Amino acid sequence: MRQGVAAPEGRYCIASKALISWERFDRLAGAASLEVASNLLQRSLDSAYASCQRMKEVQGNNSELIEEAHRLKGSVGIVGLQRISDQAGLIEDQATSNADVAKLIDELFVMILESAREFERRNMSR
Amino acid sequence: MKELRTVMLVEDDPDIALLAQIALEEFGNLVFVHFFSGREALKAVEAGPPDMVILDYRMPEMNGEEVLRALRQTNTGRDLPVIFMTASLMPKHVGRLRELGALDVIGKPFDPLTLADQVKEIWAKHHRSSATM
């Protein structure tokens, strides 16, 4: 018999992914411009932060929480915020199964801050 | 084959709409028209239809499925090529959207650098299959 509580499906995959897909970012910067790509990434980070705050506010209202997580999953990955996108998908799935997602939202918050720091570090090193 | 020129996006999220605009206008040289709701888009289609419509699935008021159904009731939108854009890519859901008459389904998050190519490929495929019918 298996002991303990299994981690929700997909969690190990999320942790092994890069916070930001620089490959996608660089392609976007090459095709448009560094300024455009940077603005889009910053806008997505701001939007993810606001979305995470909303998720905290609507905890207990599953339909609003699922809606918010679904929206975030579909938007931030476009500019390469892969791990945030995957975490939002996990929150959506778990909330759909009526599981407690408070810890996942906290993790999402940390991921957003870490992604913002990584973006800042990269900007400073240029 | 008629060249794809004007693409209308119906999407309630301004961030996604901006990224799609860059993807389709800058990288795809397409004329991009955007509406935040199905109701606005339906009015615009009646006034002058685009070549193709990309519909977000989850939207307040009217979801993408409702917009497509309403579109099919209009003279200008009856045969308009429609693509869905959704973060729900479960085969059952995708199959349902195709049954409703969508040409194809593009997953979110999309790659802004390849979105225009994807849309153009769907357009070309649609014309190839229409020509053989």
Side-chain angles (χ1 to χ4, degrees):
Chain A
M1 197 176 124
R2 288 168 69 177
Q3 297 287 312
V5 180
E9 200 179 325
R11 297 203 60 181
Y12 297 115
C13 301
I14 291 173
S16 66
K17 273 192 184 173
L19 279 168
I20 300 172
S21 165
W22 291 115
E23 189 248 336
R24 177 169 287 196
F25 178 85
D26 289 339
R27 283 195 301 131
L28 192 57
S33 71
L34 182 60
E35 192 187 356
V36 167
S38 296
N39 286 343
L40 290 172
L41 187 55
Q42 187 57 57
R43 191 184 160 113
S44 291
L45 281 166
D46 293 345
S47 171
Y49 183 82
S51 183
C52 189
Q53 297 285 21
R54 275 196 296 276
M55 279 187 216
K56 286 185 176 188
E57 284 163 19
V58 300
Q59 274 189 74
N61 181 336
N62 245 19
S63 64
E64 279 192 43
L65 185 63
I66 291 165
E67 195 68 37
E68 193 62 49
H70 182 83
R71 197 197 64 75
L72 183 61
K73 177 179 79 172
S75 62
V76 290
I78 299 172
V79 288
L81 296 171
Q82 318 182 101
R83 222 194 284 177
I84 295 174
S85 173
D86 289 351
Q87 183 78 2
L90 188 58
I91 292 170
E92 182 191 5
D93 292 347
Q94 294 293 304
T96 304
S97 317
N98 289 314
D100 182 14
V101 293
K103 194 166 175 283
L104 294 175
I105 295 174
D106 287 342
E107 286 173 6
L108 174 70
F109 190 68
V110 173
M111 261 176 216
I112 294 165
L113 296 180
E114 283 176 353
S115 302
R117 269 189 223 114
E118 189 172 318
F119 182 42
E120 259 179 46
R121 273 198 299 274
R122 172 125 169 174
N123 276 341
M124 284 168 75
S125 71
R126 262 198 295 262
Chain B
M1 182 181 88
K2 188 191 167 198
E3 190 191 354
L4 176 62
R5 196 76 201 102
T6 311
V7 177
M8 177 189 286
L9 174 71
V10 189
E11 165 67 65
D12 63 313
D13 187 318
D15 292 344
I16 295 178
L18 174 66
L19 287 159
Q21 180 175 9
I22 291 170
L24 298 174
E25 275 185 356
E26 301 294 320
F27 307 145
N29 289 316
L30 296 165
V31 177
F32 177 81
V33 189
H34 168 239
F35 294 97
F36 283 103
S37 74
R39 224 168 284 283
E40 290 173 306
L42 286 164
K43 271 189 206 159
V45 168
E46 278 198 53
D51 294 326
M52 182 185 259
V53 176
I54 303 178
L55 283 176
D56 176 28
Y57 185 79
R58 280 198 192 202
M59 290 185 287
E61 284 185 49
M62 288 176 96
N63 68 27
E65 188 176 325
E66 289 165 337
V67 178
L68 178 57
R69 286 184 195 282
L71 205 54
R72 294 298 185 236
Q73 302 298 313
T74 66
N75 284 331
T76 44
R78 185 166 296 130
D79 301 313
L80 204 54
V82 169
I83 299 174
F84 272 99
M85 201 182 250
T86 175
S88 307
L89 283 176
M90 280 177 290
K92 197 176 163 188
H93 184 59
V94 171
R96 177 170 167 70
L97 297 178
R98 287 211 173 104
E99 271 172 27
L100 284 170
L103 292 185
D104 214 331
V105 179
I106 292 176
K108 282 183 187 171
F110 57 82
D111 181 344
L113 293 171
T114 58
L115 180 68
D117 289 341
Q118 255 181 297
V119 168
K120 285 176 183 175
E121 176 55 35
I122 294 167
W123 172 262
K125 204 170 137 191
H126 166 63
H127 279 271
R128 280 197 298 271
S129 61
S130 302
T132 55
M133 276 166 75

